[in-house]
Amino acid sequence: MTPEALAERAKINGVELWALTDHDEIGGQHRAAAAARAQGMAYLTGTEISVTFAGETVHIVGLGFDPDNEALKQGLYNTRNGREQRAREMSDSLAKVGIHGAFEGALKFVGNPELISRTHFARHLVESGICKETNEVFRKYLTEGKPGYVPHRWATLKDAVTWITQAQGIAVIAHPGRYNFSANAEYALFTEFKEHGGRGVEVVTGSHTKQEFIKYAETAKEFGLGASRGSDFHSPDESHTDLGTLPFLPGDLTPVWELVAGRIQA
């Protein structure tokens, strides 16, 4: 969806403070801020940076940064740079099991090969009738051990946190309940994140269970982190949770928006 369409949907659903957090990209920030103003919503700049940590892909959200910061823009460009080659290798892998033209099909859903991802392949496989829904695609393809899977090394945790903080934003660990970490590896993630200057963790999000709300509320307190709340909404057909429909944060936490109050665009 366009920034304008997302802003309109957010407003209709009762959202008061909105952030557009595209993956590894901040090109839509000025449009999103203008769209939020047009809808009478407050706005925070945002992005979601792909990071490799302990062999897993982790997402680090940036909030309240300067969208014109050159170091951040260059870092995100470098992060995106390997996507096209990876996508072509994914397409070659799918061709070996009889699914041809997947790269071209996926590209229809993104336009820019720098931003192509597994999600765009999933949309193509659904449109082509190979699978009924995107969840089925990920069960059968594109994940480790399945046809179409190609690993990619992203930015380091230190890189992502540094880019965000040097651009006057705050870094937040996105949806920690989604990662396949042992207790020790998760503790290492939070410890290193905090050491690099990370400030928040997503507690209430569309991909967390109620039990995970409680777990990561305790984690936020343990590590002295602000608590984030966001839908992780991608599109009406693919997201667990619509914009503006999540429960509130537990009351004894420090919301991340209090940490970036001076960066909110009213």
Side-chain angles (χ1 to χ4, degrees):
M1 299 175 71
T2 65
E4 293 79 11
L6 280 166
E8 181 179 10
R9 188 182 188 96
K11 179 65 175 181
I12 289 170
N13 286 5
V15 172
E16 296 176 5
L17 174 61
W18 177 55
L20 174 67
T21 53
D22 285 331
H23 283 273
D24 306 311
E25 174 62 270
I26 55 175
Q29 290 304 306
H30 290 295
R31 280 178 63 185
R37 283 195 299 273
Q39 295 290 342
M41 286 187 297
Y43 187 74
L44 264 177
T45 53
T47 190
E48 190 170 2
I49 303 177
S50 305
V51 163
T52 299
F53 184 86
E56 291 279 341
T57 298
V58 171
H59 294 151
I60 301 298
V61 165
L63 295 172
F65 53 80
D66 173 6
D68 297 315
N69 181 273
E70 288 301 327
L72 175 59
K73 290 196 291 186
Q74 186 62 46
L76 293 177
Y77 172 79
N78 292 341
T79 298
R80 296 193 304 267
N81 204 29
R83 284 183 180 263
E84 180 176 359
Q85 180 57 38
R86 180 195 186 211
R88 292 188 182 279
E89 292 176 17
M90 289 165 62
S91 183
D92 291 343
S93 177
L94 289 169
K96 293 176 181 177
V97 294
I99 301 173
H100 298 281
F103 176 80
E104 291 75 16
L107 198 57
K108 288 194 305 180
F109 291 93
V110 63
N112 183 354
E114 284 184 6
L115 299 177
I116 197 167
S117 71
R118 293 185 305 164
T119 299
H120 304 113
F121 279 86
R123 291 173 185 165
H124 168 63
L125 266 59
V126 170
E127 182 189 59
S128 303
I130 294 167
C131 294
K132 291 183 179 180
E133 58 181 9
T134 54
N135 287 340
E136 182 185 353
V137 176
F138 286 106
R139 287 197 303 271
K140 295 182 177 179
Y141 307 98
L142 310 181
T143 52
E144 191 167 5
K146 305 290 185 180
Y149 176 74
V150 176
H152 185 91
R153 288 202 61 81
W154 304 108
T156 67
L157 183 61
K158 181 179 180 180
D159 286 339
V161 175
T162 300
W163 296 336
I164 293 164
T165 55
Q166 288 186 348
Q168 291 80 54
I170 65 166
V172 177
I173 297 177
H175 44 63
R178 280 177 45 182
Y179 310 130
N180 296 316
F181 285 137
S182 66
N184 285 342
E186 183 176 81
Y187 188 86
L189 169 67
F190 277 89
T191 301
E192 187 172 325
F193 174 75
K194 186 77 183 288
E195 288 173 352
H196 293 317
R199 300 284 305 281
V201 57
E202 201 167 43
V203 172
V204 176
T205 183
S207 54
H208 278 178
T209 64
K210 291 179 180 179
Q211 291 76 20
E212 286 170 333
F213 294 167
I214 297 168
K215 174 183 177 180
Y216 290 108
E218 291 302 315
T219 302
K221 287 186 281 189
E222 178 184 359
F223 284 89
L225 298 172
S228 182
R229 171 178 176 266
S231 62
D232 199 21
F233 178 82
H234 286 74
S235 85
D237 300 323
E238 295 173 14
S239 298
H240 296 282
T241 304
D242 204 348
L243 292 156
T245 61
L246 285 171
F248 293 110
L249 287 173
D252 56 346
L253 300 175
T254 301
V256 291
W257 49 87
E258 290 186 5
L259 304 180
V260 285
R263 304 289 295 179
I264 295 174
Q265 302 175 42

